[in-house]
Amino acid sequence: MGGQPTQLSQQPQGKGRVRNYPVTEQASPQASAGPAPATARGAATEADVIVVGAGPSGSTTAYYLAQAGLDVLVLEKSRFPREKVCGDGLTPRAVKTLVAMGVPISEDDGWLRNKGLRVIGAGMRLELDWPELTSYPGYGLVRTRMDFDQRLAERAREAGARVIEGVNVTGPVRDDRTGRIVGVTARPEGGEQQVYRARLVIAADGNSSRLSVAMGLTKRDDRPIGVAVRAYYTSPRHDDDYLESWLDLWDGDRQLPGYGWIFGMGDGTSNIGLGLLNTSGAFGNTDYRALLKRWLAGMPGEWGFTDENRVGPVRGAALPMAFNRTPAYADGLLLVGDAAGMINPFNGEGIAYAMESGEIAARVVTQALAWPDAAGTERVLHGYPRVLADAYGGYYALGRAFVKAIGRPELMRFATRHAMSRPALMRFALKLLANLTDPRGDASDRLINAMTKLAPAR
Ligand SMILES: Cc1cc2nc3c(=O)[nH]c(=O)nc-3n(C[C@H](O)[C@H](O)[C@H](O)COP(=O)(O)OP(=O)(O)OC[C@H]3O[C@@H](n4cnc5c(N)ncnc54)[C@H](O)[C@@H]3O)c2cc1C
């Protein structure tokens, strides 16, 4: 389609290095002024760092921490392989993070590559290839979270992290005097509750992040959040080599609130979903499953998106965006991924940001724990939110303005109509929405980078 819009007919353990640590049953008075001292090791319940959750953010954090020689214990409540509600779509940004971790991503390994994004809106269809850049690969991927997360957890294990499945973290263990987290309580499957201790605890437990909430870190009302549902359908469109995004959804000639996606999984099914942002008036009073059904009822019959072809139930979850939970470090607890509300507000992509924040967190923690004194460690850890703000703050600020604007249906309609008939503008929009630019790229890269720098990073 060469980037030209076309009219639609229908509106449509590992090794855990063994070192000699002094055993501390309780945080000492001195330690309670800052991070706990090095903990007992070898012991299954002690480590330098405990990571709660082995989703993309937790496994990536653990991988980089273990690579740096730290003893890392990852506690994951489920057992792999396990389902996670997601669109399963990976942009070149996410591909880059996988490549950096040495995850094998060949098509022989079961990954489906895509060339770009097909955008459908205002009665038009536009295929936009991923931009040609030096900083990111020119392709995206699709893989079901059923085993995507397992692969990342295996990479963390290969690097030396102890990833323990079937252990549900039930709460923080806090130092009586300072309130600082010095470990967690957790219940292994079928076992008794235990205490696990570490110098630092990382919350990688996803959107609801019970651990953060227990430490007083709740979601922010002034930041965007989305809710989306998805299901898998057997379909001849399963091997689509473009991710497909629907900017407007139609029920006959009535426009429905929200946006949708159709991602071919390459395994005989398509992952189809739709979502709404909390800036939309319909956010709190929409039956998402019924909406999905009505939207799919208007699709061409040969695509096969019917109840009979649905594989498994329709499931939904929230997408916390643009630093939805802050601060990302307090009282010995450091947040990564969805726990820190780090989904891109422009496009709902969260895996790349979960993994990138994991890598950033590991870098900060490695330096922090190398300080010989607790005060130095604490100072470096307190710098983590600033490092995140430098990396994403300006971009997320633009994203917040964007979601506010598209919350107004008439503005969204106007923007879709005007942009869809201008492929050059849509190519610019793709770079902006997917956060894909080179530092010294072409004029559009430089414009996006300048906008990001000028926006207030909070
Ligand atoms: C419908 C939907 C569609 C989406 N589509 C896409 C997409 O196409 N592409 C994309 O990039 N992003 C997408 N996202 C966002 C993406 O799924 C998240 O951003 C991403 O999963 C965040 O990773 P995470 O590791 O921070 O958290 P999670 O993936 O949520 O992982 C958290 C882990 O912590 C574990 N855990 C939780 N509580 C405990 C506990 N108490 N004890 C021990 N373990 C615990 C969980 O079992 C889980 O394994 C979508 C989200 C939704 C809801």
Side-chain angles (χ1 to χ4, degrees), residues 70-106:
L70 289 162
D71 179 28
V72 190
L73 184 59
V74 185
L75 303 176
E76 165 58 48
K77 71 175 176 192
S78 61
R79 286 190 179 278
F80 296 119
R82 61 104 175 85
E83 190 177 8
K84 158 76 178 88
V85 181
C86 189
D88 306 322
L90 300 165
T91 69
R93 205 174 169 103
V95 176
K96 182 177 182 171
T97 59
L98 291 167
V99 171
M101 274 177 69
V103 178
I105 50 165
S106 78

Side-chain angles (χ1 to χ4, degrees), residues 52-58 75-78 80 82 84-91 94 145 149 167-170 204-208 210 227-230 261 263 274 315-320 336-339 343 348-352 354:
V52 179
S57 62
L75 303 176
E76 165 58 48
K77 71 175 176 192
S78 61
F80 296 119
R82 61 104 175 85
K84 158 76 178 88
V85 181
C86 189
D88 306 322
L90 300 165
T91 69
R145 295 290 295 276
D149 292 35
V167 181
N168 185 14
V169 171
T170 49
D205 49 349
N207 160 61
S208 51
R210 297 239 166 93
V227 167
V229 293
R230 69 96 177 94
W261 71 82
F263 297 165
L274 59 79
R315 291 197 200 276
L319 295 90
V336 290
D338 276 14
I343 292 180
E349 177 182 19
I351 295 170

